[in-house]
């Protein structure tokens, strides 16, 4: 009965009380979701746990009535699984935490050229987290940091472009990094080495 029914119809049926509809939804996406999870964690037992946790979150969302149907069920479920994979790696300390050191360059975590799938997921999450934090810096610090890190400009070039002394440019960069470290600690962002 459910073989050709689309996700939205199955979801509505489940929300209306048809328990078999959720079984069909899980069965329909089992292979694709399990393959995705396994490709990241490389462990069948962990894959099964994350798969189950993913659908527990899906079912909870349905039961709370907070699911917003926009025809994007599978991408939404994949994102839940993605977040649970990241949580798994963090929980199991496969992401070393930064312990604080004056010589640490926050952006050194962004320069790894050959990343496996697991490290790529983690790197993408760190990139997103850092971009959100960088946007919170004062405008003058943000400007210097972007010129130095993203445009690879020298401090002389930064001083010329911002029409300040080189010492002011250096100071702004220093304060940008100090403030970024504080934001990282305040938001409990986990960085890898």
């Amino acid at each position: 009965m459910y073989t050709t029914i689309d996700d939205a119809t199955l979801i509505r049926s489940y929300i209306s009380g048809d328990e078999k509809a959720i079984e069909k939804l899980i069965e329909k996406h089992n292979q694709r979701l399990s393959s995705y999870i396994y490709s990241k964690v490389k462990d069948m037992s962990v894959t099964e746990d994350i798969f189950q946790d993913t659908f527990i979150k899906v079912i909870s969302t349905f039961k709370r009535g907070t699911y917003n149907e926009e025809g994007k069920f599978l991408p939404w479920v994949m994102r839940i699984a993605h977040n649970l994979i990241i949580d798994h790696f963090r929980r199991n300390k496969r992401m070393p935490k930064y312990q604080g050191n004056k010589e640490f360059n926050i952006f050194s975590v962004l320069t790894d050229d050959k990343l496996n799938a697991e490290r790529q997921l983690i790197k993408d999450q760190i990139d997103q987290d850092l971009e959100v934090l960088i946007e919170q810096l004062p405008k003058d610090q943000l400007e210097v940091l972007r010129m130095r890190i993203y445009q690879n400009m020298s401090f002389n070039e930064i001083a010329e472009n911002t029409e300040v002394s080189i010492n002011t440019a250096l100071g702004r960069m220093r304060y940008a990094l100090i403030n970024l470290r504080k934001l990282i600690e305040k938001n409990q962002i986990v960085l890898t080495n």
Side-chain angles (χ1 to χ4, degrees), residues 132-150:
V132 168
L133 296 180
I134 287 169
E135 291 297 324
Q136 295 178 33
L137 291 173
K139 186 180 176 195
D140 58 344
Q141 294 172 19
L142 174 65
E143 181 180 36
V144 171
L145 184 132
R146 286 215 162 124
M147 288 180 186
R148 180 72 178 154
I149 302 300
Y150 297 116

Side-chain angles (χ1 to χ4, degrees), residues 23-40:
E23 291 175 25
K24 188 59 189 172
L25 200 56
I26 291 170
E27 181 182 306
K28 182 177 179 182
H29 296 293
N30 183 354
Q31 182 62 43
R32 186 164 182 191
L33 187 59
S34 292
S35 296
Y36 170 74
I37 296 167
Y38 184 79
S39 75
K40 307 303 177 205

Side-chain angles (χ1 to χ4, degrees), residues 3-164:
T3 53
T4 58
I5 300 176
D6 66 10
D7 293 343
T9 304
L10 288 170
I11 292 165
R12 281 192 299 276
S13 294
Y14 175 71
I15 291 171
S16 298
D18 182 358
E19 293 292 323
K20 293 221 179 269
I22 194 70
E23 291 175 25
K24 188 59 189 172
L25 200 56
I26 291 170
E27 181 182 306
K28 182 177 179 182
H29 296 293
N30 183 354
Q31 182 62 43
R32 186 164 182 191
L33 187 59
S34 292
S35 296
Y36 170 74
I37 296 167
Y38 184 79
S39 75
K40 307 303 177 205
V41 299
K42 307 285 190 228
D43 181 312
M44 203 56 207
S45 174
V46 173
T47 297
E48 291 168 1
D49 289 345
I50 291 175
F51 182 88
Q52 288 175 359
D53 289 346
T54 300
F55 271 95
I56 287 170
K57 286 185 178 281
V58 167
I59 291 167
S60 294
T61 301
F62 290 162
K63 288 191 182 232
R64 281 194 315 268
T66 56
Y67 177 70
N68 183 12
E69 174 57 49
E70 297 174 358
K72 298 178 180 177
F73 175 73
L74 186 59
W76 174 66
V77 171
M78 297 290 267
R79 185 66 190 169
I80 292 170
H82 170 86
N83 290 340
L84 289 169
I85 291 166
I86 298 262
D87 291 346
H88 164 75
F89 290 135
R90 286 180 175 158
R91 205 173 31 253
N92 290 296
K93 299 185 186 192
R94 289 175 68 182
M95 289 177 55
K97 291 185 181 177
Y98 166 63
Q99 296 299 323
N101 142 1
K102 299 224 189 259
E103 275 62 64
F104 178 73
N105 176 358
I106 287 169
F107 298 97
S108 66
V109 299
L110 304 177
T111 59
D112 208 350
D113 294 329
K114 297 180 181 175
L115 301 175
N116 63 27
E118 169 190 330
R119 290 181 53 89
Q120 185 63 49
L121 273 173
I122 295 166
K123 180 188 174 300
D124 292 346
Q125 186 66 49
I126 290 171
D127 289 350
Q128 291 172 7
D129 292 345
L130 277 176
E131 190 56 40
V132 168
L133 296 180
I134 287 169
E135 291 297 324
Q136 295 178 33
L137 291 173
K139 186 180 176 195
D140 58 344
Q141 294 172 19
L142 174 65
E143 181 180 36
V144 171
L145 184 132
R146 286 215 162 124
M147 288 180 186
R148 180 72 178 154
I149 302 300
Y150 297 116
Q151 297 172 11
N152 205 24
M153 295 172 75
S154 70
F155 283 106
N156 281 332
E157 293 170 318
I158 294 170
E160 287 175 20
N161 282 317
T162 57
E163 299 177 353
V164 297

